[in-house]
Amino acid sequence: DVKVTQSSRYLVKRTGEKVFLECVQDMDHENMFWYRQDPGLGLRLIYFSYDVKMKEKGDIPEGYSVSREKKERFSLILESASTNQTSMYLCASRTSGDDTQYFGPGTRLTVL
Amino acid sequence: GEDVEQSLFLSVREGDSSVINCTYTDSSSTYLYWYKQEPGAGLQLLTYIFSNMDMKQDQRLTVLLNKKDKHLSLRIADTQTGDSAIYFCAETRVGQLTFGSGTQLTVLP
């Protein structure tokens, strides 16, 4: 079974703090994704990576950056958290040649 | 339009069938997916259908695909309280998945 884990289920941060969300997958997948989920808006793609040290902007990259130093790990960084970044963050991965994505349990981030 | 569209809410009685509908946009999508999200959890792959199929059945789940109308549906037979969740449809687009807004299914006793 594919296993995607995220470092925290719940996180509370203050405005202006730097926030790191980590995602690890154990299936040697080349592609990894970060989404945010807000009620009524579905999932929106923030960034994705198709290889180590490679990254591509998704639909809503503003205010976020990412890091992929190892194949199994994809980090989402909020350089200076703001209240409008309060959301559920979901990580996913897939292998090349297969569109099926496998998701982690999500991190619910609250920025006060 | 460019969005994958779903209605936001659906309520059914326990034991009835549920039908969740979705319209998608990209006629070249290879696969179309249904994911399930239980409260406080991530998305779980429920089923998918290859674009050259009209129907796929998997136990209580039936997926219907109408490519002409770009319409996808998920039917859950004998709906149970454990089926209460948010259901997302997704289409493949340029190697990525584009998701609908999700349909909150509530199963009433």
Side-chain angles (χ1 to χ4, degrees):
Chain A
D1 270 359
V2 176
K3 195 167 173 81
V4 182
T5 57
Q6 295 183 228
S7 51
S8 306
R9 293 299 304 273
Y10 300 94
L11 210 51
V12 180
K13 295 291 181 182
R14 296 218 171 265
T15 302
E17 280 193 82
K18 190 168 185 175
V19 182
F20 292 87
L21 303 181
E22 300 250 302
C23 174
V24 177
Q25 49 92 8
D26 68 354
M27 284 303 292
D28 204 35
H29 285 174
E30 296 84 4
N31 304 274
M32 297 186 73
F33 304 81
W34 274 106
Y35 296 88
R36 65 175 282 176
Q37 180 186 6
D38 301 288
L41 297 179
L43 275 70
R44 293 180 291 168
L45 181 64
I46 304 172
Y47 267 96
F48 65 100
S49 168
Y50 54 87
D51 202 350
V52 175
K53 297 193 186 297
M54 307 302 286
K55 61 185 179 184
E56 293 285 343
K57 292 180 180 178
D59 299 320
I60 51 164
E62 297 78 19
Y64 303 95
S65 62
V66 289
S67 172
R68 187 138 181 233
E69 295 296 318
K70 293 186 177 180
K71 191 175 186 181
E72 67 271 18
R73 189 179 298 268
F74 192 34
S75 301
L76 180 70
I77 303 153
L78 287 66
E79 293 287 343
S80 177
S82 63
T83 54
N84 63 12
Q85 293 177 309
T86 292
S87 188
M88 173 75 133
Y89 289 87
L90 293 162
C91 174
S93 73
R94 70 171 177 86
T95 191
S96 295
D98 182 354
D99 291 324
T100 307
Q101 293 184 21
Y102 298 90
F103 282 81
T107 297
R108 184 162 295 282
L109 172 67
T110 303
V111 183
L112 302 175
Chain B
E2 295 196 357
D3 292 340
V4 177
E5 296 187 346
Q6 303 176 239
S7 53
L8 288 180
F9 302 100
L10 176 66
S11 292
V12 299
R13 294 237 171 249
E14 192 173 9
D16 288 351
S17 292
S18 309
V19 179
I20 302 171
N21 294 301
C22 172
T23 55
Y24 62 97
T25 61
D26 190 347
S27 57
S28 65
S29 290
T30 314
Y31 289 94
L32 293 134
Y33 294 85
W34 285 104
Y35 283 85
K36 176 183 179 182
Q37 184 182 37
E38 294 180 354
L43 272 66
Q44 167 196 349
L45 178 65
L46 202 56
T47 188
Y48 61 90
I49 187 167
F50 190 50
S51 58
N52 69 353
M53 297 170 67
D54 297 324
M55 185 180 85
K56 179 180 179 181
Q57 189 149 4
D58 183 2
Q59 300 182 332
R60 291 191 298 121
L61 305 178
T62 303
V63 179
L64 295 178
L65 176 60
N66 180 330
K67 284 193 75 172
K68 176 175 165 290
D69 295 336
K70 297 196 186 81
H71 184 263
L72 182 72
S73 67
L74 174 70
R75 178 177 180 268
I76 306 172
D78 185 26
T79 311
Q80 303 297 308
T81 54
D83 295 324
S84 291
I86 302 176
Y87 291 81
F88 291 91
C89 66
E91 65 172 350
T92 51
R93 197 186 288 176
V94 199
Q96 299 174 28
L97 293 184
T98 300
F99 290 85
S101 56
T103 299
Q104 171 78 60
L105 174 65
T106 301
V107 182
L108 305 170

Coordinates of all heavy atoms in Angstrom, one line a residue, chain A residues 31-99:
Chain A
N31 N 6.6 12.1 -8.5 CA 5.8 13.3 -8.5 C 5.2 13.5 -7.1 O 4.6 12.6 -6.5 CB 4.7 13.3 -9.5 CG 5.3 13.0 -10.9 OD1 5.7 13.9 -11.6 ND2 5.3 11.7 -11.3
M32 N 5.3 14.8 -6.6 CA 4.6 15.1 -5.3 C 3.9 16.4 -5.5 O 4.3 17.3 -6.2 CB 5.6 15.1 -4.2 CG 6.3 13.7 -4.0 SD 7.3 13.6 -2.5 CE 6.1 13.6 -1.2
F33 N 2.9 16.6 -4.7 CA 2.0 17.8 -4.8 C 1.6 18.3 -3.5 O 1.4 17.6 -2.5 CB 0.7 17.3 -5.5 CG 0.9 16.7 -6.8 CD1 1.2 15.3 -6.9 CD2 0.7 17.4 -8.0 CE1 1.4 14.7 -8.2 CE2 0.9 16.8 -9.3 CZ 1.2 15.4 -9.3
W34 N 1.4 19.6 -3.4 CA 0.8 20.3 -2.3 C -0.5 21.0 -2.7 O -0.5 21.8 -3.7 CB 1.7 21.3 -1.6 CG 2.6 20.7 -0.6 CD1 4.0 20.5 -0.8 CD2 2.3 20.2 0.7 NE1 4.5 19.9 0.4 CE2 3.5 19.7 1.3 CE3 1.1 20.2 1.4 CZ2 3.6 19.2 2.6 CZ3 1.2 19.6 2.7 CH2 2.4 19.2 3.3
Y35 N -1.6 20.7 -2.0 CA -2.9 21.4 -2.2 C -3.3 22.1 -0.9 O -3.0 21.7 0.2 CB -4.0 20.4 -2.6 CG -3.8 19.6 -3.8 CD1 -3.1 18.4 -3.8 CD2 -4.4 20.0 -5.0 CE1 -2.9 17.6 -5.0 CE2 -4.2 19.2 -6.2 CZ -3.5 18.0 -6.1 OH -3.4 17.3 -7.3
R36 N -4.2 23.1 -1.1 CA -5.0 23.5 0.0 C -6.4 23.3 -0.3 O -6.9 23.4 -1.4 CB -4.7 25.0 0.4 CG -5.0 26.0 -0.5 CD -4.8 27.4 0.0 NE -5.8 27.9 1.0 CZ -5.8 29.0 1.6 NH1 -4.7 29.8 1.5 NH2 -6.7 29.3 2.5
Q37 N -7.2 23.0 0.8 CA -8.6 22.7 0.7 C -9.4 23.7 1.5 O -9.1 23.8 2.8 CB -8.9 21.3 1.1 CG -10.3 20.9 1.0 CD -10.7 19.6 1.6 OE1 -9.8 18.9 2.2 NE2 -11.9 19.1 1.4
D38 N -10.3 24.4 0.9 CA -11.2 25.3 1.6 C -12.6 25.0 1.3 O -12.9 24.6 0.1 CB -10.8 26.7 1.2 CG -9.4 27.1 1.6 OD1 -9.1 27.2 2.8 OD2 -8.6 27.2 0.6
P39 N -13.5 25.1 2.2 CA -14.9 24.8 2.0 C -15.5 25.4 0.7 O -15.4 26.6 0.5 CB -15.6 25.3 3.3 CG -14.6 25.3 4.3 CD -13.3 25.6 3.6
G40 N -16.1 24.6 -0.1 CA -16.8 25.1 -1.3 C -15.8 25.4 -2.5 O -16.3 25.7 -3.6
L41 N -14.5 25.3 -2.2 CA -13.5 25.6 -3.3 C -12.8 24.3 -3.7 O -12.0 24.4 -4.7 CB -12.5 26.6 -2.8 CG -13.1 28.0 -2.4 CD1 -11.9 28.9 -1.9 CD2 -13.7 28.6 -3.7
G42 N -13.1 23.2 -3.1 CA -12.4 22.0 -3.5 C -10.9 22.0 -3.2 O -10.5 22.7 -2.2
L43 N -10.1 21.4 -3.9 CA -8.6 21.3 -3.8 C -8.0 22.3 -4.8 O -8.3 22.2 -6.0 CB -8.1 19.9 -4.0 CG -8.1 19.0 -2.8 CD1 -9.5 18.6 -2.4 CD2 -7.3 17.8 -3.0
R44 N -7.1 23.1 -4.4 CA -6.4 24.0 -5.3 C -4.9 23.7 -5.1 O -4.3 23.6 -4.0 CB -6.7 25.4 -4.9 CG -8.1 25.8 -5.2 CD -8.4 27.3 -4.9 NE -8.3 27.5 -3.4 CZ -8.3 28.7 -2.9 NH1 -8.2 29.8 -3.7 NH2 -8.3 28.9 -1.6
L45 N -4.3 23.5 -6.3 CA -2.9 23.1 -6.3 C -2.0 24.3 -6.1 O -2.0 25.3 -6.7 CB -2.6 22.5 -7.7 CG -1.1 22.0 -8.0 CD1 -0.8 20.8 -7.0 CD2 -1.0 21.6 -9.4
I46 N -1.1 24.1 -5.1 CA -0.1 25.2 -4.7 C 1.2 25.1 -5.5 O 1.6 26.0 -6.2 CB 0.2 25.2 -3.2 CG1 -1.1 25.2 -2.4 CG2 1.1 26.3 -2.8 CD1 -1.0 25.0 -0.9
Y47 N 1.8 23.9 -5.3 CA 3.1 23.6 -6.0 C 3.1 22.1 -6.3 O 2.5 21.3 -5.6 CB 4.3 24.0 -5.1 CG 4.9 25.3 -5.3 CD1 4.5 26.4 -4.5 CD2 5.8 25.6 -6.3 CE1 5.1 27.6 -4.7 CE2 6.4 26.8 -6.5 CZ 6.0 27.9 -5.7 OH 6.5 29.1 -5.8
F48 N 3.9 21.7 -7.2 CA 4.2 20.3 -7.4 C 5.7 20.1 -7.8 O 6.3 21.1 -8.2 CB 3.2 19.6 -8.4 CG 3.3 20.1 -9.8 CD1 4.0 19.4 -10.8 CD2 2.7 21.3 -10.2 CE1 4.1 19.8 -12.1 CE2 2.7 21.7 -11.5 CZ 3.4 21.0 -12.5
S49 N 6.1 18.9 -7.7 CA 7.5 18.6 -8.0 C 7.5 17.3 -8.8 O 6.9 16.3 -8.4 CB 8.3 18.5 -6.7 OG 9.6 17.9 -7.0
Y50 N 8.3 17.2 -9.9 CA 8.3 16.0 -10.6 C 9.7 15.3 -10.5 O 9.9 14.2 -11.1 CB 8.0 16.2 -12.1 CG 8.8 17.3 -12.8 CD1 10.0 17.0 -13.3 CD2 8.4 18.6 -12.8 CE1 10.8 18.0 -13.9 CE2 9.1 19.6 -13.4 CZ 10.3 19.3 -13.9 OH 11.1 20.3 -14.5
D51 N 10.6 15.9 -9.7 CA 11.8 15.2 -9.5 C 12.5 16.0 -8.3 O 12.2 17.1 -8.0 CB 12.7 15.3 -10.7 CG 13.8 14.2 -10.8 OD1 14.0 13.5 -9.7 OD2 14.4 14.0 -11.8
V52 N 13.6 15.3 -7.8 CA 14.4 16.0 -6.8 C 14.9 17.3 -7.3 O 15.3 17.5 -8.4 CB 15.5 15.1 -6.3 CG1 16.4 15.8 -5.3 CG2 15.0 13.8 -5.8
K53 N 14.7 18.3 -6.4 CA 15.2 19.7 -6.7 C 14.4 20.4 -7.8 O 14.7 21.5 -8.1 CB 16.7 19.8 -7.0 CG 17.6 19.3 -5.8 CD 19.0 19.7 -6.0 CE 19.9 19.1 -5.0 NZ 19.6 19.7 -3.6
M54 N 13.4 19.8 -8.3 CA 12.5 20.4 -9.3 C 11.2 20.8 -8.7 O 10.7 20.1 -7.9 CB 12.3 19.4 -10.5 CG 13.5 18.8 -11.1 SD 14.7 20.1 -11.7 CE 13.9 20.6 -13.2
K55 N 10.7 22.0 -9.1 CA 9.4 22.4 -8.6 C 8.7 23.2 -9.7 O 9.4 23.9 -10.5 CB 9.6 23.3 -7.3 CG 10.4 24.5 -7.6 CD 10.7 25.3 -6.3 CE 11.5 26.5 -6.5 NZ 11.9 27.2 -5.3
E56 N 7.4 23.2 -9.6 CA 6.6 23.9 -10.6 C 5.5 24.6 -9.8 O 4.9 24.0 -8.9 CB 6.0 23.0 -11.6 CG 7.0 22.4 -12.6 CD 7.5 23.3 -13.6 OE1 6.9 24.4 -13.8 OE2 8.5 23.0 -14.2
K57 N 5.1 25.8 -10.2 CA 4.0 26.5 -9.5 C 2.7 25.9 -10.0 O 2.5 25.5 -11.2 CB 4.0 28.0 -9.9 CG 5.2 28.8 -9.3 CD 5.1 30.2 -9.7 CE 6.3 31.0 -9.1 NZ 6.4 32.4 -9.6
G58 N 1.8 25.8 -9.0 CA 0.4 25.4 -9.4 C -0.5 26.6 -9.6 O 0.0 27.6 -10.1
D59 N -1.7 26.5 -9.2 CA -2.7 27.6 -9.4 C -2.6 28.7 -8.4 O -2.9 29.9 -8.7 CB -4.1 27.0 -9.4 CG -4.3 25.9 -10.5 OD1 -3.8 26.2 -11.6 OD2 -4.9 24.9 -10.2
I60 N -2.1 28.4 -7.2 CA -2.1 29.5 -6.2 C -0.8 29.5 -5.4 O -0.8 29.3 -4.2 CB -3.3 29.3 -5.2 CG1 -3.4 27.9 -4.6 CG2 -4.6 29.7 -5.8 CD1 -4.2 27.8 -3.4
P61 N 0.3 29.8 -6.0 CA 1.6 29.7 -5.3 C 2.0 30.9 -4.5 O 2.9 30.8 -3.7 CB 2.6 29.6 -6.5 CG 1.9 30.4 -7.6 CD 0.5 30.1 -7.4
E62 N 1.2 32.0 -4.6 CA 1.6 33.2 -3.9 C 1.6 33.0 -2.4 O 0.7 32.5 -1.8 CB 0.7 34.3 -4.2 CG 0.7 34.7 -5.7 CD -0.1 33.8 -6.6 OE1 -0.9 33.0 -6.1 OE2 0.2 33.8 -7.8
G63 N 2.7 33.4 -1.7 CA 2.8 33.2 -0.3 C 3.4 31.9 0.2 O 3.6 31.7 1.4
Y64 N 3.7 31.0 -0.8 CA 4.3 29.7 -0.4 C 5.6 29.5 -1.2 O 5.8 30.0 -2.3 CB 3.3 28.6 -0.8 CG 1.9 28.7 -0.2 CD1 0.9 29.4 -0.9 CD2 1.7 28.2 1.0 CE1 -0.4 29.5 -0.3 CE2 0.4 28.3 1.6 CZ -0.6 29.0 0.9 OH -1.8 29.1 1.5
S65 N 6.4 28.6 -0.7 CA 7.5 28.1 -1.4 C 7.6 26.6 -1.0 O 6.9 26.1 -0.1 CB 8.8 28.8 -1.1 OG 9.2 28.7 0.3
V66 N 8.5 25.9 -1.8 CA 8.6 24.4 -1.5 C 10.1 24.0 -1.6 O 10.9 24.7 -2.1 CB 7.8 23.6 -2.5 CG1 6.3 23.7 -2.3 CG2 8.2 23.9 -4.0
S67 N 10.3 22.8 -1.1 CA 11.7 22.3 -1.1 C 11.6 20.8 -1.3 O 10.8 20.1 -0.7 CB 12.4 22.6 0.2 OG 13.7 21.9 0.2
R68 N 12.4 20.3 -2.3 CA 12.5 18.8 -2.5 C 13.9 18.4 -2.6 O 14.5 18.4 -3.7 CB 11.7 18.4 -3.7 CG 11.6 16.9 -3.8 CD 10.3 16.4 -4.2 NE 10.2 15.0 -4.3 CZ 9.7 14.3 -5.4 NH1 9.3 15.0 -6.4 NH2 9.6 13.0 -5.4
E69 N 14.5 18.1 -1.5 CA 16.0 17.8 -1.5 C 16.1 16.3 -1.6 O 17.2 15.8 -2.0 CB 16.6 18.3 -0.2 CG 16.6 19.8 0.0 CD 17.5 20.4 -1.1 OE1 18.6 19.9 -1.4 OE2 17.1 21.4 -1.7
K70 N 15.1 15.5 -1.2 CA 15.2 14.0 -1.3 C 13.9 13.6 -2.0 O 12.9 14.2 -1.9 CB 15.3 13.4 0.1 CG 16.6 13.6 0.8 CD 16.7 12.8 2.0 CE 18.0 13.0 2.7 NZ 18.2 12.3 3.9
K71 N 14.0 12.5 -2.7 CA 12.9 12.0 -3.5 C 11.6 11.8 -2.6 O 10.5 12.0 -3.1 CB 13.3 10.7 -4.2 CG 12.3 10.3 -5.3 CD 12.8 9.1 -6.0 CE 11.9 8.7 -7.2 NZ 12.4 7.5 -7.9
E72 N 11.8 11.3 -1.4 CA 10.6 10.9 -0.6 C 10.0 12.0 0.1 O 8.9 11.9 0.7 CB 11.0 9.8 0.4 CG 12.0 10.2 1.5 CD 13.5 10.0 1.1 OE1 13.8 9.9 -0.2 OE2 14.3 10.0 2.0
R73 N 10.6 13.2 0.1 CA 10.2 14.3 1.0 C 9.9 15.6 0.3 O 10.8 16.0 -0.5 CB 11.3 14.5 2.1 CG 10.9 15.4 3.2 CD 12.0 15.6 4.2 NE 12.4 14.3 4.8 CZ 11.9 13.8 5.9 NH1 11.0 14.6 6.6 NH2 12.2 12.7 6.4
F74 N 8.8 16.2 0.5 CA 8.4 17.4 -0.1 C 7.9 18.3 0.9 O 6.9 18.0 1.6 CB 7.3 17.1 -1.2 CG 7.0 18.2 -2.1 CD1 8.0 19.1 -2.6 CD2 5.7 18.3 -2.7 CE1 7.7 20.1 -3.5 CE2 5.4 19.3 -3.6 CZ 6.4 20.2 -4.0
S75 N 8.5 19.5 1.1 CA 8.2 20.4 2.1 C 7.5 21.7 1.6 O 7.9 22.2 0.5 CB 9.4 20.9 2.9 OG 10.1 19.7 3.4
L76 N 6.5 22.1 2.3 CA 5.8 23.4 1.9 C 6.2 24.4 3.0 O 6.1 24.1 4.2 CB 4.3 23.1 1.9 CG 3.4 24.4 1.6 CD1 3.6 24.8 0.1 CD2 2.0 24.1 1.9
I77 N 6.5 25.6 2.5 CA 7.0 26.6 3.5 C 6.2 27.9 3.3 O 5.9 28.3 2.2 CB 8.5 27.0 3.2 CG1 9.4 25.7 3.2 CG2 9.0 28.0 4.1 CD1 10.6 25.7 2.4
L78 N 5.7 28.4 4.4 CA 5.0 29.7 4.5 C 6.0 30.6 5.1 O 6.3 30.5 6.3 CB 3.8 29.6 5.3 CG 2.5 28.8 4.8 CD1 2.8 27.4 4.6 CD2 1.3 29.1 5.6
E79 N 6.6 31.5 4.3 CA 7.7 32.4 4.8 C 7.2 33.3 5.9 O 7.9 33.5 6.9 CB 8.2 33.2 3.6 CG 8.9 32.3 2.6 CD 10.3 31.8 3.0 OE1 10.9 32.3 4.0 OE2 10.8 30.8 2.4
S80 N 6.0 33.8 5.8 CA 5.5 34.7 6.8 C 4.0 34.5 6.8 O 3.2 35.0 6.0 CB 5.8 36.1 6.4 OG 5.2 37.0 7.4
A81 N 3.5 33.6 7.7 CA 2.2 33.1 7.7 C 1.2 34.3 7.9 O 1.4 35.2 8.7 CB 1.9 32.1 8.8
S82 N 0.1 34.2 7.2 CA -1.0 35.2 7.3 C -2.3 34.5 7.6 O -2.5 33.3 7.3 CB -1.1 36.0 6.1 OG -1.5 35.2 5.0
T83 N -3.3 35.2 8.2 CA -4.5 34.6 8.6 C -5.3 34.0 7.4 O -6.0 33.0 7.5 CB -5.5 35.6 9.3 OG1 -5.6 36.7 8.4 CG2 -4.8 36.1 10.6
N84 N -5.1 34.5 6.2 CA -5.8 33.9 5.0 C -5.1 32.6 4.5 O -5.6 32.0 3.6 CB -5.9 34.9 3.9 CG -4.6 35.4 3.3 OD1 -3.5 34.8 3.6 ND2 -4.6 36.4 2.5
Q85 N -4.1 32.2 5.2 CA -3.5 30.9 4.9 C -4.0 29.8 5.9 O -3.5 28.7 5.8 CB -2.0 31.0 5.0 CG -1.4 31.8 3.8 CD 0.1 32.0 3.8 OE1 0.7 32.3 4.9 NE2 0.7 31.7 2.7
T86 N -4.9 30.2 6.8 CA -5.6 29.2 7.6 C -6.4 28.3 6.6 O -7.2 28.7 5.9 CB -6.6 29.9 8.6 OG1 -5.8 30.6 9.5 CG2 -7.5 28.8 9.3
S87 N -6.1 27.0 6.7 CA -6.7 26.0 5.7 C -6.3 24.6 6.1 O -5.5 24.4 7.0 CB -6.2 26.4 4.3 OG -6.9 25.6 3.3
M88 N -6.8 23.7 5.3 CA -6.4 22.3 5.4 C -5.4 22.1 4.2 O -5.7 22.4 3.1 CB -7.6 21.4 5.2 CG -7.2 19.9 5.0 SD -6.8 19.2 6.6 CE -7.7 17.7 6.6
Y89 N -4.2 21.6 4.5 CA -3.2 21.3 3.5 C -3.0 19.8 3.3 O -2.8 19.1 4.2 CB -1.9 22.0 4.0 CG -1.9 23.5 3.9 CD1 -2.4 24.2 5.0 CD2 -1.6 24.2 2.8 CE1 -2.5 25.6 5.0 CE2 -1.7 25.6 2.7 CZ -2.1 26.3 3.8 OH -2.2 27.6 3.8
L90 N -3.1 19.5 2.0 CA -3.0 18.1 1.7 C -1.8 17.8 0.7 O -1.6 18.6 -0.2 CB -4.3 17.6 0.9 CG -5.6 17.6 1.8 CD1 -6.8 17.6 0.9 CD2 -5.6 16.4 2.7
C91 N -1.1 16.8 1.0 CA 0.0 16.4 0.2 C -0.4 15.1 -0.6 O -1.2 14.3 -0.1 CB 1.2 16.1 1.1 SG 2.6 15.4 0.2
A92 N 0.1 15.0 -1.8 CA -0.2 13.8 -2.6 C 1.1 13.4 -3.4 O 2.0 14.2 -3.6 CB -1.3 14.0 -3.5
S93 N 1.1 12.1 -3.8 CA 2.2 11.7 -4.7 C 1.7 10.7 -5.7 O 0.6 10.1 -5.6 CB 3.3 11.0 -3.8 OG 2.9 9.8 -3.4
R94 N 2.4 10.6 -6.8 CA 2.1 9.6 -7.8 C 3.4 9.2 -8.6 O 4.3 10.0 -8.6 CB 1.0 10.1 -8.8 CG 1.6 11.2 -9.7 CD 0.5 11.5 -10.8 NE 0.9 12.6 -11.7 CZ 1.7 12.5 -12.8 NH1 2.1 11.3 -13.1 NH2 2.0 13.5 -13.5
T95 N 3.3 8.1 -9.2 CA 4.4 7.7 -10.0 C 4.2 8.2 -11.4 O 3.1 8.5 -11.8 CB 4.6 6.1 -10.0 OG1 5.8 5.8 -10.6 CG2 3.4 5.5 -10.7
S96 N 5.3 8.4 -12.1 CA 5.2 8.8 -13.5 C 4.5 7.7 -14.4 O 4.7 6.6 -14.1 CB 6.6 9.1 -14.1 OG 7.2 10.2 -13.4
G97 N 3.7 8.1 -15.3 CA 3.0 7.2 -16.1 C 1.7 6.8 -15.5 O 0.9 6.0 -16.2
D98 N 1.3 7.2 -14.4 CA 0.0 6.9 -13.7 C -0.5 8.2 -13.1 O 0.2 8.8 -12.3 CB 0.3 5.8 -12.7 CG -1.0 5.4 -12.0 OD1 -2.1 6.0 -12.3 OD2 -1.0 4.5 -11.2
D99 N -1.7 8.5 -13.5 CA -2.3 9.8 -13.0 C -2.8 9.7 -11.6 O -3.2 10.7 -11.0 CB -3.4 10.3 -14.0 CG -2.8 10.7 -15.3 OD1 -1.7 11.3 -15.4 OD2 -3.5 10.5 -16.4

